[in-house]
Amino acid sequence: MTFDYSQTFRGLAGLPNTDNVPGSEMRYRDAFNLTLRAELERDPSVFVMGEDIAGGAGRFEKDGEVSYEEKKGFKPLDAWGGPFAATKGLIQDFGSERIKDTPISEAGVLGAAIGAALTGTRPVVDLMYFDFVTVAYDQLLSNAAKSRYMFGGQTKVPLTMFARSGAGTGHAAQHSESFYSMLVHIPGLKVVVPSDPLSVKGLLSASIRDDDPVFLVNDKKLINLSGFVPDAEVVFELGKGRYLRRGTDVTLIGMAYTSEICRKVAEKLEDSGVSCEVIDMLSLSPLDEDIILESVSKTNKVVIVDEDTPMCSMASEISSIIADKGFDFLDAPIKKVNSPHTPVPYNRDLEFSFMPSEERVIKAIQEIVEY
Amino acid sequence: MEKKKLEELFESMYRIRRFEETMLEQTFKGKSMGVTHSSDGQEAGPVGICAHLTDKDWIGSTHRGHGHCIAKGLDTKKMMAEIFGKSTGQCKGKGGSMHIADFSKGMLGANAIVGASIPLAVGAALSSKYNGTEDDSVGVAFFGDGATGQGVLHESMNLASIWKLPVIFVCENNHYAEATPVEYAVSIEDISDRAAAYSMPGITADGMDVFDVYEVADEAINRARKGEGPTLIELKTFRYHGHFHADDPKKYRTPEEDEKWKDRDCLKIFEEKVISNKSMTLESIKKIKDLIDKEMLEAVEFAEKSPMPDISELYSDVYVKYKD
Ligand SMILES: Cc1ncc(C[n+]2csc(CCOP(=O)(O)OP(=O)(O)O)c2C)c(N)n1
Ligand SMILES: [Mg+2]
């Protein structure tokens, strides 16, 4: 039996019934790892580069014995397998040409990946923490995103990038960014934000198979979250959001971990008689305007939850779309729940007041529900 | 070397060692609010370099920055409190282990972006040249072997060279960047050879021997102070612990490798030397150790008892002035 992933998109309430679907519960990180493995198996032009994606680079091991040269019976040493084990075990099966540890050279590595993508391969680049994107931002903006356009459509850049985003783990100001908007702002680049094990499977496959550069953002807070993942191939359509829940009083819009927050809030408020509809954006560029407008046309109220800082954020962008195209639907002001216009603080109490929380979402809902 | 200087060197190295050990213990007790990177094993480097610096000289540091901070004279109480996320911390609990800074001590901050602090030290040297104070204010950029993969290092070295800035590039080559061995990631054996490309002197020193570091640093810093431009110093060294608190280095290092380096431990080498040439006594060494051991207990107690920052601190310090 194949899994009809289209059911996870708009039109159906909640997630599809998976009762008779072969599959298993697994963590987000395992779903990511297995999907990457499947894509490597499927297409020999796919290869992965990044810092410590194997770790212990250039070494080989057999029964604890380490060799600097490849010897018979020795396998490449996989000491780290990437941050959060995203690429664990891959080098053993795909070798060091396809699972390529790099020096700490984000700009050079991303640039080389773009060059490789322009010339017939399909590189996947692990940029580790989302913050390090800016070290390679010039390559991303000026080469990856613009090559096709400025060269008059002669070429394409089938490149996938991923990194780990978000606050909540005590990594402080330089390792906790959620600046989705800095990527979404770039014409020529696609940006996707999975929110659970199923969606990371569907979006990672779709990103790798897509012919344009795609950035997949893994929110750190999702990485150990478990959920059902079907065994069958799942390829989401890029640019489509989905309903996590149907409701009538207010639309909650989330992305990555904030979708999880919205889902929990909707559950909590059910008993107090507030019926929330939850949209999980999944893709930020392209952005599914239809699902947003469809929902708001029904609930007439909306709260957008986005961990990015508020100015020029996705929440701002979505608000402007609703204000422009859905003005007549609205019965209350559009509410944005963002992080404040500050860097991410270290202290845990400060950090948790920085991030959007269930409490802040509930407060925003209360402000408009009786409007 | 005079006795007082010897005692200072030992005290500073031992303070770093004990701070890292204590900080790790506390991290494992759940007292740190985030990741910590211990520099135990590497103490001779920062100490041998910073022994030539005053509060008017500037250093840039890394994610593995506790040793640089202590060698530059930062207060271990405030450092521990920062790691505990407390309001009395060096950065009010807003920065954490990877962002400890003390501008009153010439410490430009630990930096969690690999390579990112290097140009800051070059900038400190630029302002010193601008102000005509090269003789008493130089910049020192500490960075790891892994950071040599970053373009910004190469840009910074070229800038320092063409403008003859009073800056010292100090590469602490601990042979690993996370789990990646230096042999894989760097195309040459001695990182100091990179200096040739930017026409500045490059020298490799024994990063486990504080006397060797001290001597090499003396020459480089003097050159800088005399307006003769930058130097690249490579220190061959080793971190005993994993990359960060929860990393197990056995996954990528052999026990023999660890043993080889621990055999040449900087504290051990130092003690053997000063005892055998009778420049220090066992008693004076013990006195220093006792003092520092006590200091660590006090640092933990201070951090423990300090209050959390007020929630309003989330919004402070973003700008000097934004709007009324
Ligand atoms: C620009 C950037 N890329 C990657 C990282 C992740 N990272 C943190 S430390 C580190 C290794 C640094 O190695 P090295 O410079 O040798 O310093 P060491 O940790 O050995 O002290 C890496 C890859 C980072 N912090 N910044
Ligand atoms: Mg290193």
Side-chain angles (χ1 to χ4, degrees), chain B residues 44-45 48-49 52 205-207 209-218 235:
Chain B
I49 304 275
H52 300 280
D206 180 354
D209 182 353
V210 73
F211 297 108
D212 198 36
V213 180
Y214 186 87
E215 222 169 277
V216 164
D218 189 35
L235 305 174

Side-chain angles (χ1 to χ4, degrees), chain B residues 106-212:
Chain B
M107 167 39 177
L108 290 164
N111 206 305
I113 303 296
V114 168
S117 66
I118 300 167
L120 305 185
V122 172
L126 181 64
S127 70
S128 141
K129 182 151 186 170
Y130 189 83
N131 293 324
T133 53
E134 281 161 289
D135 55 337
D136 76 350
S137 180
V138 303
V140 176
F142 284 103
F143 54 95
D145 47 287
T148 66
Q150 286 288 359
V152 73
L153 167 69
H154 300 271
E155 298 174 24
S156 301
M157 286 179 69
N158 188 54
L159 284 177
S161 181
I162 61 168
W163 292 335
K164 260 196 168 194
L165 297 178
V167 57
I168 297 90
F169 297 91
V170 181
C171 178
E172 292 173 278
N173 178 0
N174 61 10
H175 298 80
Y176 288 87
E178 296 182 346
T180 300
V182 66
E183 299 85 12
Y184 176 81
V186 180
S187 63
I188 43 173
E189 193 167 326
D190 293 323
I191 287 169
S192 58
D193 287 349
R194 293 275 188 243
Y198 305 102
S199 40
M200 66 175 80
I203 181 151
T204 294
D206 180 354
M208 306 305 273
D209 182 353
V210 73
F211 297 108
D212 198 36

